[in-house]
Amino acid sequence: MSEVTAIAHPNFALVKYWGKADSISNKPAMSSISLTVDSLTSTTNISINVGSTENIWMLNGKEQNDLARISPVLNYLNNISRNNYGCIIKSENNFLTSAGLASSASGIASLVIAYNQFFKLNMSFDQLVEASMIGSGSAPRSLLSGFVILNVEDQVTTRTILEPDEWPLSIIICITDEKEKIVSSREGMEISRKTSPLYQSWLDSNKEDIQIAKSAIAEKNLRRLGEVAEKNCYMMHEVMKTSSPKISYMTKSTNKCIKEIKKIRQDGTDLFFTVDAGPQVKIVCKTGDRDLIKTKFSNKSYITKIMEANIGLGARVIHED
Ligand code: PMV
């Protein structure tokens, strides 16, 4: 085989993780629930770097001098494949990279799936999870479709709770700032774990938030899911803000966007928001309400771009030669 290409979509957490239990395996300190987003894609193509044992990584067409973000994953995979080849890894995102849209989750998941196929490793699902997690704590969730739970209570387990066609919702992504984030999630989480006075109560509230979100998803109750997702999102950002140094991903534009969402809800449309490690706002709504909600944001000066998506599939191979 001369090359393999795999695709993965980012996932947005509704019950979030912010804090690691272990910095080597990268295991999150708390469980999380996400939804995989279909129209945003990361693709990774792997081929052999003929005549060399060196790995080359191109991200969005640019050769990367520093492979630190992917080398722990490559080390894990090389240990299984025991090959002596260098690889050429070409990753492309069709959306903003490192701006709070989970590009690391989809990028890593697509890399793991492409590598597994290229070297015919037949890795078990648990190994795929472990390999992805080393690269990004949220990447295992991008391996799967629909609503996904990453449970870390005893052993790590990752599974789909509901498939995309079982509860077809839409996601509107309001981009408020296209710059790359200054504090990476990995650094930020470590700062919060060590310094935020709210970190322990954030950990303690995880079990209940997971339970509520799970039952809201089982009931397909958008309002209940929205309540717990927004509460969880606010709490994560409070943990960030009370860290030392303070971490702020939400901006004035993020808050203006949230204010508008609350107004639309007061006017009778069911929708909720979530915000991750960046200033962009993700809105979850019924597919039938999507166009109406989009028009409410179409002329807002604090939004630079609006993207839309439905709930998507897990990481998969799309081409081999
Ligand atoms: O481990 P990372 O870099 O994928 O961190 C993800 C952090 C959040 O997006 C803020 C929360 C989450 O659970 O996705």
Side-chain angles (χ1 to χ4, degrees):
M1 197 179 303
S2 62
E3 60 171 321
V4 166
T5 307
I7 191 169
H9 305 288
N11 68 79
F12 298 153
L14 306 181
V15 177
K16 299 176 189 299
Y17 100 90
W18 188 255
K20 315 254 190 220
D22 174 332
S23 60
I24 295 168
S25 69
N26 226 1
K27 182 180 161 188
M30 62 219 77
S31 302
S32 54
I33 293 180
S34 62
L35 41 85
T36 302
V37 176
D38 72 351
S39 64
L40 277 58
T41 61
S42 293
T43 51
T44 296
N45 172 280
I46 298 199
S47 57
I48 294 288
N49 187 7
V50 181
S52 171
T53 53
E54 227 178 282
N55 291 314
I56 294 178
W57 180 34
M58 313 274 296
L59 176 59
N60 296 329
K62 256 175 99 181
E63 185 171 349
Q64 305 293 299
N65 296 324
D66 184 4
L67 270 68
R69 271 150 73 191
I70 60 166
S71 20
V73 182
L74 289 178
N75 291 343
Y76 179 101
L77 295 167
N78 283 338
N79 262 337
I80 299 177
S81 72
R82 304 226 165 263
N83 79 75
N84 296 314
Y85 302 111
C87 291
I88 301 176
I89 299 157
K90 292 182 194 155
S91 307
E92 299 278 342
N93 297 323
N94 76 347
F95 61 101
L96 294 172
T97 300
S98 299
L101 294 177
S103 58
S104 58
S106 47
I108 296 289
S110 62
L111 166 63
V112 170
I113 294 298
Y115 191 105
N116 178 47
Q117 181 73 5
F118 186 71
F119 288 106
K120 299 240 170 288
L121 302 183
N122 265 325
M123 287 162 69
S124 67
F125 183 66
D126 284 350
Q127 282 178 313
L128 296 173
V129 166
E130 220 167 67
S132 308
M133 187 175 283
I134 288 171
S136 150
S138 61
R141 300 188 313 233
S142 277
L143 294 172
L144 295 175
S145 53
F147 285 89
V148 176
I149 182 162
L150 173 55
N151 200 316
V152 295
E153 258 182 65
D154 302 311
Q155 278 172 305
V156 175
T157 55
T158 313
R159 67 179 177 87
T160 291
I161 315 177
L162 268 193
E163 292 292 351
D165 59 352
E166 290 182 279
W167 193 18
L169 296 174
S170 288
I171 300 120
I172 299 166
I173 303 152
C174 300
I175 306 292
T176 64
D177 190 338
E178 310 207 352
K179 283 197 286 295
E180 287 198 9
K181 59 187 155 198
I182 301 166
V183 183
S184 72
S185 313
R186 197 174 283 235
E187 279 172 87
M189 282 179 203
E190 218 25 34
I191 296 172
S192 294
R193 186 181 67 78
K194 289 184 182 149
T195 64
S196 169
L198 296 182
Y199 187 76
Q200 190 56 45
S201 40
W202 163 242
L203 255 184
D204 294 342
S205 62
N206 178 257
K207 231 182 196 164
E208 193 184 342
D209 287 359
I210 291 281
Q211 276 322 321
I212 296 171
K214 265 170 82 175
S215 67
I217 292 168
E219 290 166 9
K220 300 183 189 165
N221 185 332
L222 193 66
R223 190 160 304 172
R224 207 159 158 243
L225 182 61
E227 277 166 12
V228 68
E230 290 185 1
K231 178 204 139 223
N232 183 272
C233 171
Y234 274 130
M235 178 134 194
M236 179 182 77
H237 286 275
E238 277 310 305
V239 171
M240 294 166 169
K241 278 189 225 155
T242 53
S243 301
S244 180
K246 175 177 171 177
I247 305 163
S248 298
Y249 291 113
M250 288 194 180
T251 61
K252 277 193 185 138
S253 300
T254 312
N255 288 322
K256 282 184 189 162
C257 203
I258 291 175
K259 205 166 159 197
E260 182 64 29
I261 291 166
K262 291 183 176 168
K263 189 168 167 287
I264 298 171
R265 187 158 55 214
Q266 256 171 12
D267 292 345
T269 306
D270 242 356
L271 79 173
F272 70 85
F273 67 85
T274 192
V275 179
D276 293 291
Q280 333 305 352
V281 180
K282 294 110 179 195
I283 300 170
V284 180
C285 63
K286 293 183 191 140
T287 301
D289 291 333
R290 183 181 58 201
D291 291 346
L292 170 84
I293 296 169
K294 268 176 61 190
T295 60
K296 305 273 181 189
F297 289 98
S298 58
N299 58 354
K300 302 290 186 211
S301 59
Y302 53 84
I303 291 179
T304 61
K305 191 176 175 186
I306 298 181
M307 298 164 83
E308 61 183 70
N310 293 317
I311 304 184
L313 300 177
R316 60 215 181 265
V317 171
I318 52 166
H319 175 79
E320 40 192 313
D321 207 355

